[in-house]
Amino acid sequence: MNLCNPKQKAFAQRVYFDLKICRKWSKLNVYFDETNKWIFFLGKQSDDQPLVFVLPMSCDEQLSVDDLFNLKSKLSLALPSDITENIESVLMAIIANDFTLGYFNFTLGLPIVTMPEILQSEISSKPSVSIIDNEFTDEIKNEITDDRWTTTNTNTTWD
């Protein structure tokens, strides 16, 4: 921890406090990447959630598109060899100089979202298209053919 600047330490402490104390993450371990001089965390929101990298960054820091694309692999290289779990995403914690935090989640590709079976059965049992009666359809057809919705009349009021 002594290899990074005091501002980075303060930002890392702010992120740790926010995630561990305020948001009650179940696991949050701190690491230091000596190559890039980054303090980062490896953690999870709850025991049934996957591990994610958390990278505190100052809003003043600039990263290229290549840096963002390779973020997960750079952080993976900095992990101790006993951690073999595949980490799918990087949660970047952007910190302003007034200690305001914004979180952005980076993954490679779109995440796979699974729906619980109960919710799937509810959705499949309900019709996806509503049924419109003929009276409503005829009314719309008449309004179009009778030109009742004219926009050339200057006294027309749109709500």
Side-chain angles (χ1 to χ4, degrees):
M1 290 280 224
N2 293 331
L3 301 175
C4 60
N5 65 45
K7 186 175 180 180
Q8 186 182 20
K9 286 182 190 177
F11 286 167
Q13 288 171 339
R14 170 69 172 99
V15 170
Y16 184 87
F17 178 80
D18 184 57
L19 294 178
K20 191 70 176 170
I21 308 300
C22 298
R23 298 177 191 263
K24 310 241 187 270
W25 277 38
S26 66
K27 181 178 182 179
L28 198 61
N29 296 321
V30 66
Y31 299 94
F32 183 71
D33 178 0
E34 293 186 26
T35 305
N36 297 300
K37 306 291 186 235
W38 289 334
I39 296 174
F40 69 96
F41 302 99
L42 184 62
K44 55 172 92 177
Q45 293 178 348
S46 63
D47 292 334
D48 61 338
Q49 296 287 318
L51 283 171
V52 296
F53 287 113
V54 180
L55 181 62
M57 300 286 288
S58 168
C59 64
D60 300 330
E61 288 186 57
Q62 294 181 358
L63 293 176
S64 69
V65 173
D66 287 338
D67 289 337
L68 289 174
F69 187 76
N70 296 316
L71 209 49
K72 185 175 106 48
S73 58
K74 286 181 179 182
L75 293 172
S76 295
L77 291 173
L79 284 175
S81 58
D82 62 334
I83 298 176
T84 58
E85 191 171 334
N86 184 26
I87 294 104
E88 296 294 322
S89 64
V90 177
L91 184 65
M92 189 177 288
I94 310 279
I95 305 120
N97 291 326
D98 67 352
F99 285 90
T100 304
L101 271 172
Y103 292 101
F104 299 90
N105 194 28
F106 291 88
T107 60
L108 290 177
L110 295 174
I112 298 171
V113 178
T114 58
M115 217 180 308
E117 286 183 31
I118 297 170
L119 187 57
Q120 284 180 344
S121 64
E122 282 183 32
I123 291 172
S124 62
S125 67
K126 295 180 181 176
S128 58
V129 178
S130 61
I131 300 170
I132 299 175
D133 62 346
N134 287 336
E135 183 181 330
F136 179 74
T137 308
D138 290 339
E139 184 180 333
I140 291 176
K141 288 178 184 176
N142 288 337
E143 287 176 350
I144 292 172
T145 57
D146 293 345
D147 198 21
R148 286 193 234 167
W149 289 353
T150 124
T151 55
T152 55
N153 184 354
T154 57
N155 294 329
T156 304
T157 304
W158 294 90
D159 292 333

